[in-house]
Every structure is written in structure tokens, then in C-alpha cells.
Amino acid sequence: MSHHQPSRATLLAVGFVSVVVFLLAWEAACRSGIVDPLFLPPPSAVGGRIVSMLSDGTLLANVLASARRVMTGFIAATVVAIPLGIVLGTSSYARAAFDPILSFLRPLPSMSWIPLSLLWFGISETQKYSIVFMGTFAPALVYVIEATRNVDPLLIRAAKNLGASNAQVMREVILPASLPQILSGMKIILGLSWTCVISAELVAAREGLGFLIMNGKEFFQTEVVVLGMVMISVTVLVTDIVFRAIERKVLRWQA
């Protein structure tokens, strides 16, 4: 008995219909008075706010401010974490020396760094970058260490038996074998970067999506709060699609 798999177009249509039904139900609940629009605005109000903030440029400015902070902090964290993680993943001595520090840093959420970062940098862009860096560095490092340690030791031994130097083993065996897992980890870390930046912007910022949400709350503009939440999801989705495209390009030798 064969099971017919639905086509991609059919699945997309089902997804689209479910979103439309959800939005209509939400709109109906607000308009009928079941839900107070002050606490949860209807989609039409959020849509109207999107149009007005797009036309005056404030929405794009806030999205770009958050995206800039995310990418700066994320790139800084990966530039440090990837080489350090590869060293720690391949050297037992280096790992033994660094493990206690990593064990201390790992459990700390990005929010816990906010008071110190404000003392160090004030309400500046550097403060936002530092929050993203501190919130993502330790998890990124763990992903890279694990990816490097998961490389098949037989491959490393075979390369050494064939006369490869340590540098050649690193370049020809360890890096290509660990790269797919490292990139998968970095994709998760990029999503985590958004969590970090929003938490930083909720506390101390003059622009950005976190600031937009907090500002909406202060003035009882719940449609602005929901708009900020929607834009976070949309922006994370877009960055994920871009990252997947980069990943496919980098790993095309695997195909």
C-alpha cells in the first residue's frame, strides 16, 4: 500500500490557509469584544501601524539598529570562539586549563552582564555589542570544541601515518570534518544573538526592536509591542535564510 506524499505547493497552501484562519479568528475575537484591544490589538491595527512606521522610516531604522548590533556581537564572538574552540578541541592540556573558566561563563545569561556592561560602557553601542558577545561567546565555544572533538580519530591517525604534519592534519582533516557541525552551531548562536540584543535594548537603548517594544508598553501602544515582536520573528527568519544560503555555498563540496 503506497502512501502519496503531498507536494510542496500543497503543504505551502495548507500553511498559508492556517495563518489566514488564525489572523481572522484573532481579528474577530478583538472586534467582538471577547479580547480587549488594549491588551491584545487586532491584526488590522498592527498592520496599520506597520504601514505608518514604514512610510516614515522609523521601522526600518529600528530593525537595522538591532541587526547591526546582532551581527557585530555575533561576528566578534565567532572570530574569537572558532579558533579558540579548535585549539581546545584538539589539545587536552589547553582544554584542562580553560575548562574552569568556561564552566564559570557558560551558565551566565546575557541579562546578568547588563549591569556591569552599563558601568563599563554606559548606554553606548559598545555596551549592546558586549551583551551579544558575552551572551554568545561561551555557547559558541562549546559548539566548536564538540565539533572538533567529534572528528573521527581514525582519519587523524591515517593522515599522520601518511606523513602529514600537525598543520596539514588541522587544515586537511580536522577543519573540513568539523565545519558542517560548526556552521550548524553558529546558526543556533545567531538566533541566540537576537535574544541577547533584545534583552539589552529592553533595558537601555534609544533605538532598536527591544526599544520599540518597551516604548510601546510605556505609552500603552500595544499594537507597537506586537509589531516589535512580529519584526523580531521576521528578521530572525530572514537572517536564518541568508545563513542557510551561505552554509550551502561553503559546504557545496559535500554534495
Side-chain angles (χ1 to χ4, degrees), residues 9 14 19-20 27 35 45 49 121 132 145 193 200:
V14 170
V19 170
V20 171
E27 185 79 29
V35 175
R49 182 65 74 159
F121 306 114
V132 177
I145 291 170
S193 301

Side-chain angles (χ1 to χ4, degrees), residues 127-140:
Q127 186 261 341
K128 311 296 179 297
Y129 302 152
S130 71
I131 291 297
V132 177
F133 180 89
M134 296 312 298
T136 56
F137 170 69

Side-chain angles (χ1 to χ4, degrees), residues 56-69:
D56 65 14
T58 51
L59 184 58
L60 187 61
N62 284 303
V63 169
L64 290 176
S66 291
R68 184 184 68 244
R69 291 162 182 161

Side-chain angles (χ1 to χ4, degrees), residues 83-99 145 148-149 170 174:
L84 181 59
I86 290 168
V87 169
L88 296 178
T90 52
S91 167
S92 302
Y93 290 109
R95 197 160 58 249
F98 203 84
D99 254 352
I145 291 170
T148 310
R149 290 185 70 188
M170 178 68 73
I174 294 172

Side-chain angles (χ1 to χ4, degrees), residues 119-157:
L119 283 171
W120 294 341
F121 306 114
I123 305 175
S124 65
E125 286 303 292
T126 308
Q127 186 261 341
K128 311 296 179 297
Y129 302 152
S130 71
I131 291 297
V132 177
F133 180 89
M134 296 312 298
T136 56
F137 170 69
L141 190 60
V142 170
Y143 273 114
V144 179
I145 291 170
E146 287 307 309
T148 310
R149 290 185 70 188
N150 285 342
V151 175
D152 189 347
L154 284 173
L155 291 175
I156 298 169
R157 245 196 324 271

Side-chain angles (χ1 to χ4, degrees), residues 49-253:
R49 182 65 74 159
I50 288 175
V51 171
S52 66
M53 290 186 75
L54 274 173
S55 60
D56 65 14
T58 51
L59 184 58
L60 187 61
N62 284 303
V63 169
L64 290 176
S66 291
R68 184 184 68 244
R69 291 162 182 161
V70 162
M71 293 315 298
T72 305
F74 170 74
I75 289 167
T78 52
V79 162
V80 179
I82 290 174
L84 181 59
I86 290 168
V87 169
L88 296 178
T90 52
S91 167
S92 302
Y93 290 109
R95 197 160 58 249
F98 203 84
D99 254 352
I101 301 165
L102 190 56
S103 299
F104 170 74
L105 292 174
R106 242 180 108 181
L108 294 173
S110 59
M111 288 287 282
S112 65
W113 290 99
I114 290 175
L116 270 180
S117 67
L118 285 169
L119 283 171
W120 294 341
F121 306 114
I123 305 175
S124 65
E125 286 303 292
T126 308
Q127 186 261 341
K128 311 296 179 297
Y129 302 152
S130 71
I131 291 297
V132 177
F133 180 89
M134 296 312 298
T136 56
F137 170 69
L141 190 60
V142 170
Y143 273 114
V144 179
I145 291 170
E146 287 307 309
T148 310
R149 290 185 70 188
N150 285 342
V151 175
D152 189 347
L154 284 173
L155 291 175
I156 298 169
R157 245 196 324 271
K160 285 186 174 175
N161 288 341
L162 290 168
S165 65
N166 285 340
Q168 284 174 320
V169 169
M170 178 68 73
R171 192 174 62 248
E172 305 294 337
V173 179
I174 294 172
L175 276 177
S178 60
L179 193 59
Q181 200 178 332
I182 289 173
L183 286 175
S184 294
M186 292 311 106
K187 197 159 54 187
I188 295 165
I189 296 301
L190 185 57
L192 180 61
S193 301
W194 278 96
T195 310
C196 298
V197 87
I198 297 303
S199 64
E201 290 173 350
L202 285 170
V203 176
R206 296 187 189 93
E207 60 176 351
L209 292 173
F211 164 77
L212 195 69
I213 290 169
M214 211 55 175
N215 212 38
K217 179 222 137 194
E218 293 294 328
F219 292 100
F220 286 95
Q221 296 172 328
T222 41
E223 73 276 9
V224 175
V225 175
V226 175
L227 164 60
M229 292 165 69
V230 169
M231 290 313 300
I232 291 166
S233 292
V234 170
T235 315
V236 171
L237 190 65
V238 170
T239 50
D240 190 54
I241 290 166
V242 171
F243 198 97
R244 280 174 195 271
I246 294 167
E247 190 179 23
R248 277 197 301 272
K249 204 170 183 63
V250 171
L251 299 179
R252 66 175 181 267
W253 52 268

